[in-house]
Amino acid sequence: MASSSSCITFTAAAASRLVHLNPKLNPNLFKFKLKPISLTNKSLYTFVTLKSSSSSSSLPAGTTRSSNNRSITMSSSSSSPYSYNQQLVAAKKAASLASRLCQNVQKELLQSDVQSKSDKSPVTVADYGSQVLVSFVLQKELPSQTFSLVAEEDSGDLRKEESQETLQRITKLVNDTIANDGTYNVTPLSETEVLTIIDCGTSEGGPNGQHWVLDPIDGTKGFLRGDQYAIALGLLDEGKVVLGVLACPNLPLESITSQHQNALNKVGCLFSAQLSCGTYMESLDGSTPVKVHVSNTENPEEASFFESYEAAHSSHSLSGSIAKKLGVKAPPCRIDSQAKYGALSRGDGVIYLRFPNKGYREKIWDHAAGYIVIAEAGGVASDAAGKPLDFSKGRYLDLDTGIIVTNQKLMPALLKAVQDSLKEQALPSL
Ligand code: AMP
Ligand code: MG
């Protein structure tokens, strides 16, 4: 028996099930200890194997060994028969297909005249179309009785008499995209089926079982302007984000700066992350994935920061004051959508600041995929009080004041600058 050190990731529930039910994890074959994934996350565990068989045939079903033969991951869910690897592959396929539909709609929109550019219907069509495709692909790739999707859209408006034409357009776009892709040999979806598939996204999420979390087009304002947007898909398992995919059709593979933010890229980027396995980036047309890492910069003078393009989504004056306090020299890079998390995960900038107006409730689909893309790239996202984001509370995030993201080393200084600026802002002006 070869001796090697390897790493297997499970929830506590799955770990105990495996130990009791799977003879292949017999201590005669595996000597291991259980270690929490992180100090703050005590519900996900790693079996650190001290001794294991080199033969993959001794691995439990659904387990895979990475090419360097050191890392093994498998489904940790008590409610899914699929491994995280299988689920990530399906998520990538779903987001890629949805982004193809969105790219076609945006191309048409940008070629149209000024009058139709002020019309919001293209984004409506692409939004619903993207949700249908993601839901369709996930259910085709991972058939399951327990499919649960928390997504932004429902079919209410589309069922109205005046939406008949829009529904026809969505149905045609979805069917054309499926036919052009060629993977699924299905009869074209009817309008009724399209409505039913959209309504698969009405799950409430929560702390138990698995839930897919989808923003079919994050950054609709950016989509209409011809700028950045993202198809953002994450998976919750027992309330934690365990994998995520960000398809960013207008984000170049090379680093962006504020000067280049409007440069449209024909191919686009796909970020994918899986718990304990890192974050990878590839082109949307399928280049070899490369592992990405957040910037390690500790010096705020070298740190540029991202924020929303739309001032209505995040206070630009508050982020300006935080940046000044920290000593950040570079101007803010303002782009739409969770493309900010993707860009940050590969070190395009160092900080992301988000401070919506008081009373605004953040939705889980606006952050789930971005959260794991950043975490697995070595970064950290928290609320303005330094607490990790909690995705287990249903469709909304329950958080304090705002969301801040940076690398581990810079977080303490950033948190202090944020809290000082918030205190100053709360003082009555003299
Ligand atoms: P961003 O492109 O980063 O500005 O964020 C886009 C997301 O902001 C959209 O998907 C919306 O869900 C969300 N959003 C919409 N209205 C607001 C608001 N008033 N404040 C903060 N976020 C908002
Ligand atoms: Mg959104």
Side-chain angles (χ1 to χ4, degrees), residues 329-390:
K329 292 249 185 313
C333 182
R334 292 178 177 150
I335 62 169
D336 304 276
S337 85
Q338 287 172 71
K340 290 188 274 298
Y341 284 105
L344 212 68
S345 77
R346 65 185 189 189
D348 285 11
V350 186
I351 298 165
Y352 169 22
L353 300 171
R354 184 180 187 86
F355 293 96
N357 287 336
K358 217 170 158 38
Y360 179 77
R361 294 179 77 194
E362 294 277 9
K363 286 91 173 177
I364 58 170
W365 53 79
D366 277 329
H367 301 283
Y371 187 79
I372 192 157
V373 161
I374 277 296
E376 285 298 322
V380 49
S382 76
D383 70 8
K387 278 199 316 213
L389 306 187
D390 182 353

Side-chain angles (χ1 to χ4, degrees), residues 171-406:
T171 308
K172 180 171 182 338
L173 268 169
V174 166
N175 284 327
D176 287 352
T177 313
I178 293 171
N180 287 337
D181 174 61
T183 308
Y184 307 105
N185 195 7
V186 288
T187 50
L189 300 172
S190 68
E191 286 159 21
T192 312
E193 284 170 321
V194 163
L195 291 170
T196 307
I197 295 176
I198 289 171
D199 283 336
C200 291
T202 54
S203 167
E204 288 296 320
N208 304 123
Q210 286 203 341
H211 307 280
W212 290 97
V213 180
L214 170 69
D215 194 340
I217 294 190
D218 183 37
T220 49
K221 297 241 166 69
F223 180 88
L224 284 166
R225 254 189 272 109
D227 289 341
Q228 296 301 330
Y229 65 99
I231 292 93
L233 178 62
L235 178 67
L236 301 185
D237 194 344
E238 304 293 311
K240 311 280 178 203
V241 190
V242 292
L243 60 89
V245 170
L246 281 179
C248 306
N250 286 339
L251 194 70
L253 273 178
E254 318 79 55
S255 168
I256 52 161
T257 63
S258 46
Q259 289 88 0
H260 297 133
Q261 63 180 281
N262 289 322
L264 278 190
N265 178 273
K266 291 279 182 303
V267 183
C269 276
L270 182 75
F271 297 90
S272 55
Q274 183 185 328
L275 194 68
S276 306
C277 296
T279 296
Y280 288 81
M281 177 182 79
E282 62 201 273
S283 68
L284 267 170
D285 65 356
S287 61
T288 306
V290 290
K291 198 164 189 175
V292 292
H293 203 278
V294 294
S295 160
N296 282 321
T297 304
E298 265 178 274
N299 181 1
E301 286 192 15
E302 293 165 11
S304 56
F305 75 96
F306 282 98
E307 65 182 339
S308 285
Y309 184 95
E310 297 287 332
H313 291 180
S314 183
S315 166
H316 288 174
S317 64
L318 180 56
S319 53
S321 121
I322 294 164
K324 197 164 157 207
K325 249 184 222 312
L326 260 180
V328 171
K329 292 249 185 313
C333 182
R334 292 178 177 150
I335 62 169
D336 304 276
S337 85
Q338 287 172 71
K340 290 188 274 298
Y341 284 105
L344 212 68
S345 77
R346 65 185 189 189
D348 285 11
V350 186
I351 298 165
Y352 169 22
L353 300 171
R354 184 180 187 86
F355 293 96
N357 287 336
K358 217 170 158 38
Y360 179 77
R361 294 179 77 194
E362 294 277 9
K363 286 91 173 177
I364 58 170
W365 53 79
D366 277 329
H367 301 283
Y371 187 79
I372 192 157
V373 161
I374 277 296
E376 285 298 322
V380 49
S382 76
D383 70 8
K387 278 199 316 213
L389 306 187
D390 182 353
F391 292 90
S392 72
K393 296 276 168 67
R395 291 169 76 85
Y396 293 94
L397 283 173
D398 175 21
L399 51 77
D400 184 46
T401 314
I403 294 178
I404 58 177
V405 188
T406 189

Side-chain angles (χ1 to χ4, degrees), residues 41-62:
N41 183 354
K42 293 273 172 66
S43 63
L44 291 165
Y45 287 81
T46 291
F47 277 125
V48 178
T49 56
L50 308 173
K51 185 180 181 187
S52 69
S53 165
S54 61
S55 156
S56 61
S57 63
S58 69
L59 300 175

